[in-house]
């Protein structure tokens, strides 16, 4: 199992799942989680007992099997917290530079994080890059590899979206219009010498935010916009995700995947698309592979293969950490992006005003696609080049990376060795 199976666009839920706004399913999930606490505690204690070197049984096949089974049970029934970034250093100008993560902008549904590098005072300032992470189920740490690759040559900021389950209902709604406003607010804070990198889902709101700023002739528009695997026009080479969304329509999703956050969560009574239901969709897409991976973990633990077991834990600690999305954001995104295709048809409206990408003139545009992307079909991201018809030709770049799927567009060896150098050159040329 590799992290390439993570899907930054929420998959359709499993067939047969039907809830509705008043459904108690989320409440049952919460009660089951609490009810299993004693069992998890017992499994944890048994795991420690049968793994202890002072226990003679720990070296036997029986002891290792019991310990492994207890660990699998505990991991399968726990709620996974937001992963840590675990980025404490990078290399700048051939020297090790400490990195600290600090919050520079804070709103109820998002924090803006800055990866502050402690570089030599003589180091020339690097281009500032705002990474807009997907708000689609997994946390922004999904882009840890992207951030690590950017850090040696860029001053990196990233959106850290907040689990809707943790936001009190008194903080109000959060929809696609708010998402666009958040991006505009961040760009005003960072200033015009900023380059925006939108990974997958945020491609539409990022393009809309910059279009709105250009239409208003704001001074703080960024130097460039880079769109990676973004569903700008899902009518082009539609994938299974696109087809399912269009076939079912927004009313189906409203009836079947939206529920209320139960007590005692801070977001009690907020309407959400719950993370655990999204995870069911993620897992069902490759269920056999997930079952096989956990079977292998059991054998690795019994055989004492610590490296393989550690790799499994690292992957699933990220994969199983999911967050709730506000109902209004999820439904509006499905409706405007995947069902009605409002942006490419010139009908997308933000705060009562039509969004016109042809207003974008000062911002350079780079679109990046994966040749084998089965989530965002080939050509869907490139559509932004057509919509932004008034960007000068010398400020445009389109690149298709051979041999990669969706995740490979923004992470992995092909990203680091082939895509990132092209992005860095594009940024430098427009900085």
């Amino acid at each position: 199992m590799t992290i390439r199976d993570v899907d930054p666009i929420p998959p359709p839920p499993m067939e047969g799942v039907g809830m509705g706004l008043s459904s108690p399913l989320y409440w049952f999930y919460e009660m089951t989680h609490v009810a299993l606490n004693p069992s998890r505690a017992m499994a944890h204690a048994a795991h420690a007992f049968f793994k202890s070197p002072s226990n003679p049984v720990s070296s036997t096949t029986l002891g290792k099997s019991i310990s492994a089974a207890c660990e699998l049970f505990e991991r399968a029934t726990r709620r996974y917290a937001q992963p840590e970034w675990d980025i404490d250093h990078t290399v700048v100008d051939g020297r090790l530079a400490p990195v600290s993560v600090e919050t520079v902008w804070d709103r109820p549904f998002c924090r803006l994080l800055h990866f502050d590098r402690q570089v030599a005072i003589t180091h020339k300032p690097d281009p500032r890059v705002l990474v807009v992470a997907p708000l689609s189920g997994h946390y922004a740490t999904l882009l840890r590899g992207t951030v690590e690759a950017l850090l040696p040559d860029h001053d990196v900021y990233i959106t850290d979206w907040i689990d809707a389950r943790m936001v009190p209902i008194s903080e109000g709604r959060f929809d696609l219009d708010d998402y666009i406003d958040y991006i505009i607010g961040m760009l005003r804070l960072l200033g015009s010498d900023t380059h925006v990198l939108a990974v997958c889902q945020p491609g539409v709101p990022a393009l809309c935010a910059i279009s709105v700023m250009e239409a208003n002739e704001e001074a703080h528009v960024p130097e460039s916009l880079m769109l990676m695997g973004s569903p700008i026009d899902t009518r082009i080479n539609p994938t299974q995700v696109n087809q399912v969304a269009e076939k079912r329509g927004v009313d189906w999703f409203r009836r079947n995947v939206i529920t209320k956050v139960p007590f005692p969560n801070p977001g009690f009574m907020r309407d959400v698309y719950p993370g655990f239901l999204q995870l069911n969709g993620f897992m069902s897409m490759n269920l056999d592979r997930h079952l096989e991976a956990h079977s292998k973990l059991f054998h690795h633990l019994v055989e004492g293969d610590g490296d393989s077991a550690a790799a499994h834990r690292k992957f699933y600690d990220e994969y199983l950490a999911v967050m709730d999305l506000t109902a209004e954001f999820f439904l509006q995104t499905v409706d405007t992006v995947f069902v009605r295709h409002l942006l490419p048809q010139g009908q997308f409206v933000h705060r009562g005003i039509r969004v016109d990408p042809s207003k974008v003139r000062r911002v350079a545009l780079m679109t990046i696609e994966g040749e084998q992307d089965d989530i965002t079909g080939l050509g869907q991201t490139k559509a932004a080049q057509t919509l932004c018809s008034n960007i000068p030709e010398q400020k445009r770049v389109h690149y298709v990376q051979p041999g990669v799927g969706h995740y490979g567009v923004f992470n992995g060896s092909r990203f680091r060795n082939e895509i990132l150098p092209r992005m860095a050159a594009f940024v430098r040329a427009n900085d």
Side-chain angles (χ1 to χ4, degrees):
M1 180 64 60
T2 65
I3 205 166
R4 67 175 178 272
D5 299 297
V6 176
D7 178 8
I9 296 179
M14 296 174 65
E15 291 291 344
V17 174
M19 298 192 300
L21 287 172
S22 60
S23 169
L25 183 58
Y26 204 155
W27 300 74
F28 288 152
Y29 171 81
E30 196 73 22
M31 288 188 293
T32 301
H33 178 77
V34 173
L36 284 171
N37 278 337
S39 300
R40 272 194 299 273
M42 292 177 61
H44 182 73
H47 168 65
F49 176 75
F50 283 99
K51 193 176 178 62
S52 172
S54 60
N55 183 351
V57 182
S58 65
S59 60
T60 67
T61 301
L62 175 63
K64 292 178 180 178
S65 298
I66 295 175
S67 175
C70 289
E71 178 175 344
L72 258 66
F73 175 81
E74 191 277 330
R75 291 184 62 83
T77 57
R78 76 164 67 159
R79 172 176 278 161
Y80 287 77
Q82 180 174 359
E84 297 294 331
W85 282 98
D86 292 329
I87 299 176
D88 55 13
H89 68 274
T90 187
V91 176
V92 180
D93 295 335
R95 298 179 179 179
L96 203 64
V99 175
S100 60
V101 184
E102 57 183 12
T103 300
V104 297
W105 185 90
D106 197 358
R107 295 295 185 274
F109 292 91
C110 186
R111 291 184 293 264
L112 180 61
L113 303 182
H114 178 217
F115 293 86
D116 187 22
R117 306 169 302 162
Q118 305 301 311
V119 297
I121 193 170
T122 56
H123 178 73
K124 183 180 178 180
D126 287 317
R128 181 183 298 121
V129 176
L130 168 61
V131 181
V132 187
L135 177 55
S136 54
H138 285 97
Y139 290 94
T141 50
L142 182 67
L143 302 185
R144 184 185 293 103
T146 313
V147 171
E148 287 177 329
L150 287 167
L151 275 174
D153 301 300
H154 304 85
D155 185 19
V156 181
Y157 294 75
I158 193 168
T159 56
D160 184 30
W161 301 105
I162 308 298
D163 187 347
R165 176 174 61 94
M166 305 305 294
V167 183
I169 197 169
S170 60
E171 295 289 356
R173 292 163 45 91
F174 180 81
D175 60 14
L176 191 54
D177 288 319
D178 296 310
Y179 194 125
I180 294 170
D181 290 340
Y182 272 31
I183 296 176
I184 293 174
M186 295 175 199
L187 290 174
R188 288 171 177 167
L189 171 72
L190 296 177
S192 59
D193 54 342
T194 301
H195 303 266
V196 179
L197 171 59
V199 180
C200 189
Q201 170 268 320
V204 170
L207 178 56
C208 289
I210 292 172
S211 299
V212 170
M213 296 178 75
E214 283 274 46
N216 294 333
E217 298 184 353
E218 291 200 28
H220 295 101
V221 292
E223 300 278 11
S224 72
L225 170 63
M226 294 169 282
L227 302 176
M228 308 185 77
S230 298
I232 302 299
D233 188 349
T234 59
R235 298 172 301 176
I236 302 171
N237 290 326
T239 65
Q240 183 181 5
V241 173
N242 307 150
Q243 292 168 345
V244 167
E246 190 166 14
K247 176 182 177 181
R248 290 176 174 173
V250 69
D251 288 336
W252 185 95
F253 286 95
R254 182 180 290 108
R255 293 192 306 268
N256 288 276
V257 306
I258 302 302
T259 186
K260 292 184 182 294
V261 176
F263 181 83
N265 297 289
F268 174 54
M269 294 304 290
R270 178 180 294 282
D271 291 332
V272 296
Y273 178 18
F276 76 89
L277 188 57
Q278 297 171 56
L279 188 59
N280 282 337
F282 290 133
M283 299 289 283
S284 65
M285 292 173 72
N286 293 285
L287 185 58
D288 291 343
R289 295 178 64 183
H290 290 294
L291 293 175
E292 181 183 0
H294 282 77
S295 175
K296 288 182 178 178
L297 173 62
F298 179 84
H299 291 294
H300 291 323
L301 292 170
V302 173
E303 295 164 0
D305 186 351
D307 290 342
S308 296
H312 175 101
R313 294 189 191 99
K314 181 179 180 180
F315 170 80
Y316 277 100
D317 284 350
E318 187 83 51
Y319 189 86
L320 299 177
V322 290
M323 57 192 295
D324 293 358
L325 309 180
T326 63
E328 56 273 16
F329 166 76
F330 173 72
L331 294 175
Q332 189 180 357
T333 299
V334 170
D335 183 42
T336 61
V337 177
F338 296 101
V339 176
R340 292 196 288 159
H341 319 286
L342 295 187
L343 182 61
Q345 296 193 80
Q347 299 172 7
F348 192 102
V349 174
H350 171 257
R351 305 298 184 198
I353 300 176
R354 187 176 70 88
V355 174
D356 184 3
S358 70
K359 297 291 185 182
V360 180
R361 299 173 182 270
R362 294 170 288 171
V363 182
L365 176 63
M366 182 177 191
T367 49
I368 304 168
E369 299 181 316
E371 180 186 37
Q372 300 173 2
D373 194 334
D374 61 351
I375 301 298
T376 304
L378 202 60
Q380 293 185 12
T381 308
K382 186 181 180 181
Q385 299 282 358
T386 301
L387 296 177
C388 299
S389 56
N390 286 312
I391 296 177
E393 197 62 34
Q394 67 270 21
K395 299 183 72 172
R396 300 170 176 270
V397 173
H398 176 66
Y399 178 67
V400 177
Q401 175 61 49
V404 302
H406 190 74
Y407 190 78
V409 171
F410 55 88
N411 218 326
S413 60
R414 291 286 184 88
F415 166 73
R416 292 189 300 270
N417 298 328
E418 300 180 48
I419 297 176
L420 182 60
R422 289 176 168 84
M423 290 171 51
F426 173 77
V427 166
R428 295 284 181 181
N430 293 282
D431 192 44

